[in-house]
């Protein structure tokens, strides 16, 4: 996965969700979309954790 911002990853997740809701995907397409979504969720969680750590460090140093 290329380096994405949190906003970009969330936008892609929303697009994937819309595609899944359409219900016209093959099993292979569904599998690919679900795997991509899982990676995006993992990426977003890591970004949030990193931000939380940065905020905590900023307040500890203040």
């Amino acid at each position: 996965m290329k380096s994405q911002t949190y906003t970009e990853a969330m936008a892609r997740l929303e697009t994937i969700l819309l595609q899944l809701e359409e219900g016209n995907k093959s099993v292979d397409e569904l599998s690919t979309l679900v795997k991509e979504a899982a990676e995006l969720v993992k990426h977003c969680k890591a970004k949030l954790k990193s931000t939380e750590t940065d905020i905590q460090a900023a307040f500890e140093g203040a």
Side-chain angles (χ1 to χ4, degrees), residues 4-38:
Q4 288 182 311
T5 67
Y6 180 85
T7 302
E8 291 168 337
M10 286 300 296
R12 179 62 185 142
L13 277 169
E14 289 174 11
T15 300
I16 290 171
L17 180 58
L18 290 173
Q19 290 176 336
L20 293 173
E21 288 175 346
E22 289 174 0
N24 60 357
K25 302 294 182 204
S26 71
V27 171
D28 291 330
E29 290 171 314
L30 287 173
S31 177
T32 300
L33 287 172
V34 169
K35 286 177 186 176
E36 182 182 358

